[in-house]
Amino acid sequence: MVNIGIIGIGRIGRVHGESITKFVKNAKIKAVADPFLNDNGKKWAASLGIENVYTDYKKILADAEINAVLICSSTDTHSPISIEAINAGKHVFCEKPIDHDVKKIRKVLDTVEKSGLKYQVGFNRRFDHNFRAIKDAVEAGKIGKQQIIKITSRDPEAPPIEYVKVSGGIFLDMTIHDFDMVRYLSGSEVEEVFAVGSVTVDPEIGKAGDIDTAVITMKLANGATAVIDNCRQAVYGYDQRAEVFGTKGAISIGNDSNSSAVISNQDGVLSEKPMYFFLERYMLAYAAEINSFVDAICNDTPTAVNANDGLQPVLIGLAAKKSVEKNRPVSIAEIKKDFSLVLD
Amino acid sequence: MVNIGIIGIGRIGRVHGESITKFVKNAKIKAVADPFLNDNGKKWAASLGIENVYTDYKKILADAEINAVLICSSTDTHSPISIEAINAGKHVFCEKPIDHDVKKIRKVLDTVEKSGLKYQVGFNRRFDHNFRAIKDAVEAGKIGKQQIIKITSRDPEAPPIEYVKVSGGIFLDMTIHDFDMVRYLSGSEVEEVFAVGSVTVDPEIGKAGDIDTAVITMKLANGATAVIDNCRQAVYGYDQRAEVFGTKGAISIGNDSNSSAVISNQDGVLSEKPMYFFLERYMLAYAAEINSFVDAICNDTPTAVNANDGLQPVLIGLAAKKSVEKNRPVSIAEIKKDFSLVLD
Amino acid sequence: MVNIGIIGIGRIGRVHGESITKFVKNAKIKAVADPFLNDNGKKWAASLGIENVYTDYKKILADAEINAVLICSSTDTHSPISIEAINAGKHVFCEKPIDHDVKKIRKVLDTVEKSGLKYQVGFNRRFDHNFRAIKDAVEAGKIGKQQIIKITSRDPEAPPIEYVKVSGGIFLDMTIHDFDMVRYLSGSEVEEVFAVGSVTVDPEIGKAGDIDTAVITMKLANGATAVIDNCRQAVYGYDQRAEVFGTKGAISIGNDSNSSAVISNQDGVLSEKPMYFFLERYMLAYAAEINSFVDAICNDTPTAVNANDGLQPVLIGLAAKKSVEKNRPVSIAEIKKDFSLVLD
Amino acid sequence: MVNIGIIGIGRIGRVHGESITKFVKNAKIKAVADPFLNDNGKKWAASLGIENVYTDYKKILADAEINAVLICSSTDTHSPISIEAINAGKHVFCEKPIDHDVKKIRKVLDTVEKSGLKYQVGFNRRFDHNFRAIKDAVEAGKIGKQQIIKITSRDPEAPPIEYVKVSGGIFLDMTIHDFDMVRYLSGSEVEEVFAVGSVTVDPEIGKAGDIDTAVITMKLANGATAVIDNCRQAVYGYDQRAEVFGTKGAISIGNDSNSSAVISNQDGVLSEKPMYFFLERYMLAYAAEINSFVDAICNDTPTAVNANDGLQPVLIGLAAKKSVEKNRPVSIAEIKKDFSLVLD
């Protein structure tokens, strides 16, 4: 039985709390901590039968009975708490991204490596039934040698402008999931990135120095070309599609919706929109990723999404950002050099 | 080269005329005849380069250079003109149904049999790409032993009430195509029929002694059960689907539409309605059936839809009609007995 | 908080046990009972933290703290235990069917009526997202006046022949769910039934006096016609489709599969098969039905599937059975008369 | 009645010949010419009732009764014959591309402009039902302001290597259709191009200095971003999809196949592959484009695909080629400068 402490019980912390209670065997939430803890939070914790509710996460780190922590606090605290938790001997599940600062991520990697503890990053889509079906087919050789990988990822609506301003930009905040998917589906590394960015949704996002629409082309080490298209707003809902095309065939996934109902009437043949957003669409994936994390602890196996998997998409995101600024392709090697990283 | 005369240049006669001109090799329309011939009809014939335009079809029968006639006149004239044409030594393509009266159909069969001439009935759906795909799969053994056959056939709108009154009733006018499909897809014969009829579209149809909605269940000689559902009106358009289910799998066909375009917006995910009605939906099938008829003449092979194929669906239709009246299953044997038919 | 006792912890009892633990708020399983209780069962109960594990269900009925029982034992015990439980003051959730014997069901109805307690029958499909989408559209008037209702229900494989022999026949064992769906989707009652049955899957089923393939046509009180097609075996999996066609349009639902992945290769364009069987397909529906039951208790509202909803499909099933035997339509009124029922 | 002469009766010349005979009103093929004319060609012309069959196309240009010519000869002859034909007073339909050499195309444009004659380029996809459905929706404002345009265009198999060597490269030979589609669907102009090319199908194509796989990103004047992915070989067939995403929704089109048949069996749910290749897929579009050309002549209206529409995709193709060579984005302005063009 793994005793878990959750640090941060905002939206995503609560998603994990509830799915652990429902779906994760061999795990128990022993404590939660949140600096903004209020009555609502206490009530929520009580409803799940969580005994210890703190404002200070250090109490979780100090509890010798707690084996693992979930870091669900704000992004800027991910890397310092990661290091603190590892040093306190806890296995760590950290929400994405580990940090926007490559050097800080690097520090986490080094700390994890020396510790021998488990570290998993919250790229939940790797645990989704659709994306996994692609991965399985690719690994089973059904697609042959990969040639083109395509990912469409569009949100139903843009986040509040205040959030956009501290988000690290679309590539580190939103596309980072898609960069991870390119690595996951291909099983290869991105070598070079060319990105086109535009502001087509909200001029305020442009004023904040960000973009809301992007098309990113990537050359992969395995010879394939990947392309992602993103938008902060699709009026028809959360659009999450992907395709891998190779010498033996292509595999593609569509959106999930709430039912398969189709209405035919004078206006046409109408199906349901995609499920609204990530909480609805990836609910089961959130449960599966924590199950996987707990299994890695129990069986002492590598985590399915390790610290390096947390670093690479950030490097790709930084390359994309620079590519838009310079209007030229940018290699991952150049980004590493920019940050004086000696990474394998 | 087969010289063709078309008897009747109403809607369906013109469909055949145009598709022969465009698509049918080895055939030429030498003459058309229509008792209601007017300027519009003459202009139409001229546009296709048809030399001879008559009001009296007997002139077509008298033309020794004409090898084959298409009977596209009103239903009550089908059987007498069929016999006259065969006796004049012409191959005959006759629009469905041959007649509503089983004895008259029987006379046509006898005449055809003695003549050695080709006779084809206008069950155009046998030449449609979708229905043919089912037939091919069934014949290739992909479905295994047939268990259940389902046909959905709904018109976009009911015909004028005056037409309904002389149509012979829904089973002989509309369902007759579906009865033919049951025989075609299964390659088997219907033995017993149970039909439920109702008036859900237009009370006037009920007053005319007909029904506009029906579900017909059939026991087939091969052990399978078939079920047809019909309606004179589907607001979303011409609904033409079918499924054959067997021990090795199922094959189904959906509707055709004008494009594969799908619009996703705030209201949902919208595809196009089915193509409007039979002229749009089966345009290529009309051409293919005449091609097949001409091939049968040129190669002296059996026609793909022979006179018996014209008789059987009428027997099934009469059984369905009687089933609704008596509210009990009616066998084809009973119908044959009713008409003192000794049919193999 | 509703304290629940589960009577019978075979397959379906465990499904409910697990889904209550995971998904049902305001409910706790206080005890389970099973005459064939073994170590495996004890271990299962322990894994869910269930305190009391009995061989004798009467201990559950005797526990004053238990408010509600789930009857998941063999079908022949459903009606006597239902009555016993109600008399013991428990709310009852009873797996379908209540009984094969109409008079015994009637007794349950009478007992429930006098008791003022909640009684729900396990027609889980009413809680499925797809069927519910149809129901919602129908109730919202989107389909207009109903004309034709179609249900396809095929199992991936036939049950063991020993089970078939005691199952009450396909209509009471398998089609009963579809009869319930006809009532649920239409919001109307079945008045007359005509059924065609055949043995196309396994001759042993025929020898046991049962059929494995059926097409059932029903006249409904609202003027619509319903048709169900059933088969005990579909090699491609659990086929659960439905369509309601009406004057304003049609709504249909397809099968659910494990992912939306589509592979295009030299052989064609391949999608996944339907989810294997009822446990996979209706997992969330099982949770939803118990949630609904618990809500009815907590809020003192009518249950979503009451005792009469348990009776009606049995009457329809008996009519279907008689229809096959007599090869004629059989009305529900006739069945009621057969059983000397005076049911409104 | 437009009298037409066809110059070149290879594959595409015959496609046009046959579709004019079948589908194009108000047009008649008066002559064909082909330097490699043989018995097969003569027989083909005879079967369509074409009176004059030449080896020298100049005889067509000299025939005063011929109003219009179709230039279906080899690419290197397109621009000189275009100019010759215009100077002979003929309306011209010219297969794509007009030329690989921008200056030669420019000369054609100038000649056309002065002549007042009709000039249409063979971008047949503009007349396809699916692409037209997108265009119509975009023009009707259903998509709102365009944000992202995506085109997938993959051939079922690579052409012979000898053809590849003289093809002008993938961008001028294959992608040119997709560049035209970007312009057609968006109604806007491409301003800048970034292309990634690779050799994933056949190393011989690489040795010939060409690529067989490409992803091309384009910035458009209207603020949208377009992305095309190409491959010379898709084992599942001719893959022709597109999507336009905008502020009010998205519209996408899928592939056409020979039937809508779906087989469900133990292996899954199998649909048909896309239609094999361009002749099958775009047969009706070939007819429609000539119909449109003939209409433009008869009604003295602008052609639907004018000489400038022939030039622009070549400029985009040259930009794509240079982008791959230099590994940087290349603007259309830069290409114009390269060729000292003063265009618009």
Side-chain angles (χ1 to χ4, degrees):
Chain A
M1 180 64 68
V2 175
N3 285 317
I4 287 177
I6 300 178
I7 297 169
I9 55 166
R11 191 167 54 177
I12 194 66
R14 291 188 186 197
V15 165
H16 289 310
E18 286 161 34
S19 69
I20 288 169
T21 308
K22 285 181 187 166
F23 300 109
V24 181
K25 292 190 175 175
N26 305 319
K28 202 197 139 184
I29 308 171
K30 189 154 186 275
V32 298
D34 197 302
F36 306 107
L37 186 70
N38 56 17
D39 278 359
N40 178 292
K42 282 178 195 166
K43 209 183 276 179
W44 172 82
S47 78
L48 297 185
I50 299 169
E51 292 163 32
N52 306 300
V53 182
Y54 309 123
T55 49
D56 184 359
Y57 71 90
K58 288 179 196 290
K59 290 193 181 165
I60 285 179
L61 300 188
D63 183 341
E65 287 184 0
I66 288 179
N67 319 94
V69 299
L70 270 55
I71 302 176
C72 304
S73 47
S74 62
T75 297
D76 57 310
T77 68
H78 287 179
S79 70
I81 299 183
S82 284
I83 290 171
E84 233 182 313
I86 295 160
N87 288 338
K90 311 301 186 201
H91 301 292
V92 173
F93 174 93
C94 182
E95 270 305 322
K96 64 95 216 171
I98 301 179
D99 208 290
H100 297 154
D101 179 335
V102 173
K103 294 199 174 173
K104 287 186 182 171
I105 303 176
R106 187 59 212 258
K107 228 186 212 165
V108 173
L109 256 79
D110 292 341
T111 313
V112 169
E113 205 169 305
K114 284 175 213 146
S115 73
L117 291 162
K118 305 299 170 193
Y119 192 86
Q120 184 170 327
V121 181
F123 285 124
N124 56 295
R125 289 184 203 169
R126 291 190 179 211
F127 301 89
D128 174 66
H129 63 145
N130 287 345
F131 288 103
R132 180 142 290 193
I134 294 191
K135 177 68 171 174
D136 290 347
V138 168
E139 289 204 332
K142 288 185 184 173
I143 307 307
K145 190 176 163 302
Q146 297 162 38
Q147 296 168 290
I148 298 171
I149 296 166
K150 293 165 71 176
I151 292 174
T152 292
S153 177
R154 300 170 189 158
D155 285 353
E157 49 183 344
I161 191 69
E162 291 314 312
Y163 175 85
V164 168
K165 285 176 183 169
V166 299
S167 69
I170 192 171
F171 295 124
L172 293 186
D173 180 55
M174 179 179 169
T175 327
I176 195 162
H177 278 292
D178 308 308
F179 293 139
D180 181 59
M181 265 305 114
V182 169
R183 293 183 68 243
Y184 173 67
L185 297 179
S186 68
S188 183
E189 294 295 344
V190 170
E191 294 193 333
E192 196 177 275
V193 179
F194 179 77
V196 173
S198 53
V199 179
T200 68
V201 174
D202 182 359
E204 290 302 312
I205 292 176
K207 284 182 200 160
D210 202 357
I211 55 176
D212 53 34
T213 308
V215 174
I216 310 109
T217 310
M218 284 146 284
K219 294 178 190 166
L220 304 195
N222 69 2
T225 308
V227 61
I228 294 166
D229 72 270
N230 280 152
C231 191
R232 283 288 197 183
Q233 183 183 296
V235 294
Y236 54 87
Y238 194 41
D239 195 350
Q240 298 280 295
R241 290 172 288 155
E243 177 184 306
V244 175
F245 166 71
T247 49
K248 287 190 183 166
I251 181 164
S252 64
I253 56 170
N255 289 306
D256 285 357
S257 54
N258 286 325
S259 89
S260 65
V262 177
I263 294 183
S264 298
N265 62 25
Q266 281 179 314
D267 299 324
V269 177
L270 189 74
S271 304
E272 290 197 23
K273 286 191 282 189
M275 286 177 161
Y276 177 62
F277 211 170
F278 60 94
L279 289 185
E280 293 81 7
R281 175 65 183 79
Y282 292 120
M283 184 52 76
L284 293 173
Y286 287 118
E289 71 175 351
I290 303 296
N291 247 320
S292 172
F293 174 60
V294 169
D295 282 354
I297 295 170
C298 293
N299 305 324
D300 194 14
T301 49
T303 56
V305 197
N306 63 28
N308 182 51
D309 294 323
L311 171 62
Q312 295 303 325
V314 174
L315 297 176
I316 305 170
L318 293 169
K321 204 170 176 177
K322 190 170 182 179
S323 173
V324 170
E325 285 162 15
K326 305 285 186 187
N327 193 28
R328 64 165 171 81
V330 173
S331 71
I332 301 305
E334 177 178 336
I335 295 297
K336 287 180 182 172
K337 215 173 141 195
D338 287 354
F339 289 93
S340 314
L341 286 185
V342 188
L343 289 154
D344 52 305
Chain B
M1 179 66 67
V2 175
N3 285 318
I4 287 177
I6 300 178
I7 297 170
I9 55 166
R11 190 165 56 175
I12 194 66
R14 293 189 185 195
V15 165
H16 289 309
E18 286 161 34
S19 68
I20 288 170
T21 309
K22 285 179 187 168
F23 300 110
V24 181
K25 292 190 175 174
N26 305 320
K28 201 196 140 185
I29 308 171
K30 187 152 187 278
V32 298
D34 198 303
F36 307 107
L37 186 71
N38 56 17
D39 279 357
N40 178 291
K42 283 178 194 164
K43 209 183 277 180
W44 173 82
S47 78
L48 297 185
I50 299 170
E51 292 163 33
N52 305 300
V53 182
Y54 309 123
T55 48
D56 184 358
Y57 71 89
K58 288 178 196 290
K59 291 194 181 164
I60 285 179
L61 300 188
D63 183 340
E65 287 183 1
I66 288 179
N67 320 93
V69 299
L70 270 54
I71 303 176
C72 305
S73 46
S74 63
T75 297
D76 57 312
T77 69
H78 287 181
S79 70
I81 298 183
S82 285
I83 290 171
E84 233 182 311
I86 295 161
N87 289 338
K90 311 301 185 200
H91 301 292
V92 173
F93 174 93
C94 181
E95 269 305 322
K96 65 93 214 172
I98 301 179
D99 207 291
H100 297 154
D101 180 334
V102 172
K103 293 197 175 175
K104 289 187 183 169
I105 303 176
R106 188 58 212 260
K107 230 189 215 163
V108 173
L109 257 79
D110 291 342
T111 313
V112 169
E113 206 169 304
K114 285 175 214 146
S115 73
L117 291 162
K118 305 299 169 194
Y119 193 86
Q120 184 169 326
V121 181
F123 285 125
N124 56 295
R125 290 185 202 167
R126 291 192 181 210
F127 301 89
D128 174 67
H129 63 145
N130 286 345
F131 287 103
R132 181 142 289 195
I134 293 190
K135 177 67 171 173
D136 290 346
V138 168
E139 289 205 332
K142 289 186 183 172
I143 307 308
K145 192 177 163 299
Q146 297 163 37
Q147 297 168 291
I148 297 171
I149 295 167
K150 293 166 72 178
I151 292 174
T152 291
S153 177
R154 300 170 189 157
D155 285 352
E157 48 184 344
I161 191 68
E162 292 314 313
Y163 175 85
V164 168
K165 285 176 183 168
V166 299
S167 69
I170 192 170
F171 295 125
L172 293 186
D173 180 56
M174 178 179 170
T175 327
I176 196 163
H177 278 292
D178 308 308
F179 293 139
D180 180 60
M181 265 305 115
V182 168
R183 293 184 67 242
Y184 173 67
L185 298 179
S186 68
S188 183
E189 294 294 345
V190 170
E191 295 193 333
E192 195 177 277
V193 179
F194 178 78
V196 173
S198 54
V199 178
T200 67
V201 173
D202 182 359
E204 290 302 313
I205 292 176
K207 283 182 200 159
D210 201 358
I211 55 176
D212 52 34
T213 308
V215 174
I216 310 108
T217 309
M218 284 146 283
K219 293 178 190 167
L220 305 195
N222 69 2
T225 308
V227 61
I228 294 166
D229 72 270
N230 280 153
C231 190
R232 283 287 196 185
Q233 182 183 295
V235 295
Y236 53 86
Y238 195 41
D239 194 351
Q240 297 281 295
R241 289 173 288 154
E243 177 183 307
V244 175
F245 166 72
T247 50
K248 286 190 183 166
I251 181 164
S252 64
I253 56 169
N255 289 306
D256 285 357
S257 54
N258 286 325
S259 88
S260 65
V262 177
I263 295 184
S264 298
N265 61 25
Q266 281 178 315
D267 300 325
V269 176
L270 190 73
S271 304
E272 290 197 22
K273 286 192 283 189
M275 285 176 161
Y276 177 62
F277 211 168
F278 59 94
L279 289 185
E280 293 81 6
R281 175 65 184 78
Y282 292 121
M283 185 50 75
L284 293 173
Y286 287 117
E289 71 174 352
I290 303 297
N291 247 321
S292 172
F293 174 59
V294 168
D295 281 356
I297 295 170
C298 294
N299 305 323
D300 194 15
T301 50
T303 56
V305 197
N306 62 28
N308 182 51
D309 294 323
L311 171 62
Q312 295 303 325
V314 174
L315 297 177
I316 305 170
L318 293 169
K321 205 170 176 178
K322 190 170 183 181
S323 174
V324 170
E325 285 162 16
K326 305 286 185 188
N327 194 29
R328 64 165 170 82
V330 173
S331 70
I332 300 305
E334 177 178 336
I335 294 297
K336 289 181 181 172
K337 216 175 140 194
D338 286 354
F339 290 93
S340 313
L341 286 185
V342 187
L343 289 154
D344 52 307
Chain C
M1 178 65 66
V2 175
N3 286 317
I4 287 177
I6 300 178
I7 296 171
I9 56 167
R11 191 166 54 177
I12 194 66
R14 292 187 186 197
V15 164
H16 290 309
E18 286 161 33
S19 70
I20 289 169
T21 309
K22 285 179 187 166
F23 300 109
V24 181
K25 291 189 177 177
N26 304 322
K28 199 195 144 186
I29 307 171
K30 188 154 185 274
V32 299
D34 197 303
F36 306 107
L37 185 71
N38 56 17
D39 278 358
N40 178 292
K42 283 177 194 166
K43 209 183 277 179
W44 173 81
S47 79
L48 297 186
I50 299 170
E51 290 163 35
N52 305 300
V53 182
Y54 309 123
T55 49
D56 185 0
Y57 71 89
K58 288 178 195 290
K59 290 191 180 165
I60 286 179
L61 301 188
D63 184 340
E65 288 184 358
I66 288 180
N67 319 93
V69 298
L70 271 54
I71 303 177
C72 305
S73 46
S74 61
T75 297
D76 58 309
T77 68
H78 287 180
S79 71
I81 299 183
S82 285
I83 291 172
E84 232 181 314
I86 295 161
N87 289 338
K90 310 301 185 199
H91 302 291
V92 172
F93 174 93
C94 182
E95 271 305 321
K96 64 95 214 170
I98 300 179
D99 207 291
H100 297 154
D101 180 334
V102 172
K103 294 200 174 171
K104 288 186 183 169
I105 302 175
R106 187 59 211 260
K107 227 187 218 166
V108 173
L109 258 78
D110 291 342
T111 312
V112 170
E113 206 168 305
K114 285 175 214 147
S115 72
L117 291 163
K118 305 299 171 194
Y119 192 86
Q120 185 169 326
V121 182
F123 285 124
N124 55 295
R125 289 184 202 168
R126 292 191 180 211
F127 301 89
D128 174 66
H129 63 145
N130 287 344
F131 288 102
R132 181 142 288 195
I134 293 190
K135 177 68 171 173
D136 289 348
V138 168
E139 291 204 331
K142 291 186 182 172
I143 308 306
K145 191 176 163 300
Q146 298 164 38
Q147 296 168 290
I148 298 172
I149 297 166
K150 293 166 70 177
I151 292 175
T152 291
S153 177
R154 300 171 189 157
D155 285 352
E157 49 184 344
I161 190 70
E162 291 315 312
Y163 176 85
V164 168
K165 286 176 183 169
V166 300
S167 69
I170 192 170
F171 296 123
L172 293 187
D173 180 56
M174 180 178 167
T175 327
I176 195 163
H177 279 291
D178 308 308
F179 294 138
D180 180 59
M181 265 305 114
V182 168
R183 294 183 67 245
Y184 173 67
L185 298 179
S186 68
S188 182
E189 295 295 344
V190 171
E191 295 193 332
E192 195 178 276
V193 180
F194 178 77
V196 173
S198 55
V199 179
T200 68
V201 173
D202 182 358
E204 291 302 312
I205 292 175
K207 283 182 200 159
D210 202 358
I211 55 175
D212 53 35
T213 308
V215 174
I216 309 107
T217 309
M218 283 146 285
K219 293 178 190 168
L220 305 195
N222 69 2
T225 308
V227 61
I228 294 167
D229 72 271
N230 279 152
C231 191
R232 283 287 197 184
Q233 183 184 295
V235 294
Y236 54 85
Y238 195 41
D239 195 351
Q240 297 281 294
R241 288 173 288 154
E243 177 183 307
V244 175
F245 165 73
T247 50
K248 287 191 182 166
I251 181 164
S252 64
I253 56 168
N255 288 305
D256 285 358
S257 54
N258 286 324
S259 88
S260 65
V262 177
I263 294 184
S264 298
N265 62 26
Q266 282 178 314
D267 299 325
V269 176
L270 190 74
S271 303
E272 290 197 23
K273 287 191 283 190
M275 285 177 162
Y276 177 62
F277 212 169
F278 59 95
L279 289 185
E280 293 82 6
R281 175 66 183 78
Y282 292 121
M283 185 52 74
L284 293 173
Y286 287 117
E289 72 176 350
I290 303 297
N291 246 322
S292 172
F293 174 60
V294 168
D295 281 355
I297 295 170
C298 293
N299 306 325
D300 194 15
T301 50
T303 57
V305 197
N306 63 27
N308 182 51
D309 294 322
L311 170 63
Q312 295 303 325
V314 174
L315 297 176
I316 305 169
L318 292 169
K321 204 170 176 176
K322 189 170 183 180
S323 173
V324 170
E325 285 162 15
K326 305 285 186 189
N327 194 29
R328 64 165 172 81
V330 174
S331 70
I332 301 304
E334 178 179 335
I335 295 297
K336 287 181 182 170
K337 215 174 141 197
D338 286 353
F339 290 93
S340 314
L341 287 184
V342 188
L343 291 154
D344 50 306
Chain D
M1 178 67 65
V2 175
N3 285 318
I4 287 178
I6 301 179
I7 296 171
I9 55 167
R11 190 166 54 177
I12 193 67
R14 293 188 185 197
V15 164
H16 289 310
E18 286 161 34
S19 69
I20 288 169
T21 309
K22 286 179 186 169
F23 300 110
V24 181
K25 292 189 177 175
N26 304 322
K28 200 197 142 185
I29 307 172
K30 188 155 185 275
V32 297
D34 197 303
F36 306 107
L37 185 72
N38 56 17
D39 278 359
N40 178 293
K42 283 178 194 165
K43 209 182 279 180
W44 173 81
S47 78
L48 297 185
I50 299 170
E51 292 163 35
N52 306 301
V53 182
Y54 310 123
T55 49
D56 185 359
Y57 70 90
K58 288 179 195 292
K59 291 193 179 163
I60 287 179
L61 300 188
D63 184 340
E65 288 183 0
I66 288 179
N67 320 92
V69 298
L70 271 53
I71 302 177
C72 304
S73 46
S74 62
T75 297
D76 57 310
T77 69
H78 288 180
S79 71
I81 299 184
S82 285
I83 290 171
E84 234 182 312
I86 295 161
N87 288 338
K90 310 300 185 201
H91 301 293
V92 173
F93 173 92
C94 181
E95 270 306 321
K96 65 95 214 168
I98 301 179
D99 207 293
H100 297 153
D101 180 334
V102 172
K103 293 198 174 172
K104 289 186 183 169
I105 303 176
R106 188 57 213 261
K107 231 188 214 162
V108 173
L109 258 79
D110 290 342
T111 313
V112 170
E113 206 168 307
K114 285 175 214 144
S115 72
L117 291 162
K118 305 299 171 194
Y119 194 87
Q120 184 169 328
V121 181
F123 285 124
N124 55 295
R125 290 185 202 167
R126 290 190 181 213
F127 301 90
D128 174 67
H129 62 146
N130 287 344
F131 287 103
R132 182 142 288 194
I134 293 190
K135 177 68 171 174
D136 289 348
V138 168
E139 289 204 333
K142 290 187 183 173
I143 308 306
K145 192 177 162 301
Q146 298 164 38
Q147 297 168 289
I148 297 172
I149 296 166
K150 292 165 71 177
I151 293 174
T152 291
S153 178
R154 299 170 190 158
D155 285 352
E157 49 184 343
I161 191 70
E162 291 315 312
Y163 176 85
V164 168
K165 285 176 184 169
V166 300
S167 69
I170 192 170
F171 296 124
L172 293 187
D173 180 56
M174 179 179 168
T175 327
I176 195 163
H177 278 291
D178 308 308
F179 293 139
D180 180 59
M181 266 305 115
V182 168
R183 293 183 67 244
Y184 173 67
L185 298 179
S186 68
S188 182
E189 295 294 345
V190 171
E191 295 193 331
E192 194 178 277
V193 180
F194 178 77
V196 172
S198 54
V199 178
T200 68
V201 173
D202 183 357
E204 290 303 312
I205 292 175
K207 283 183 201 159
D210 201 357
I211 55 175
D212 53 34
T213 308
V215 174
I216 309 108
T217 310
M218 283 146 284
K219 292 178 190 167
L220 305 195
N222 68 1
T225 309
V227 61
I228 294 167
D229 72 90
N230 280 153
C231 191
R232 283 287 197 183
Q233 182 183 296
V235 295
Y236 54 85
Y238 195 41
D239 195 351
Q240 298 281 296
R241 290 173 287 155
E243 178 183 308
V244 175
F245 166 73
T247 49
K248 286 191 182 165
I251 181 165
S252 64
I253 56 169
N255 289 304
D256 284 357
S257 54
N258 286 324
S259 89
S260 65
V262 177
I263 295 184
S264 298
N265 61 25
Q266 281 178 314
D267 299 326
V269 177
L270 190 74
S271 303
E272 290 197 24
K273 288 191 281 189
M275 285 178 162
Y276 178 63
F277 212 168
F278 59 95
L279 290 185
E280 293 81 7
R281 176 65 183 78
Y282 292 120
M283 184 52 75
L284 293 173
Y286 286 117
E289 71 175 351
I290 303 297
N291 248 321
S292 172
F293 174 60
V294 168
D295 281 356
I297 294 170
C298 294
N299 306 324
D300 193 15
T301 50
T303 57
V305 197
N306 63 27
N308 181 51
D309 294 323
L311 171 64
Q312 296 302 325
V314 174
L315 297 177
I316 305 170
L318 292 169
K321 204 170 178 178
K322 189 170 183 179
S323 174
V324 170
E325 284 162 16
K326 306 285 186 189
N327 194 30
R328 63 165 172 80
V330 173
S331 70
I332 300 305
E334 177 178 336
I335 294 297
K336 287 181 182 171
K337 215 173 141 195
D338 286 353
F339 290 93
S340 314
L341 288 184
V342 187
L343 293 152
D344 62 300

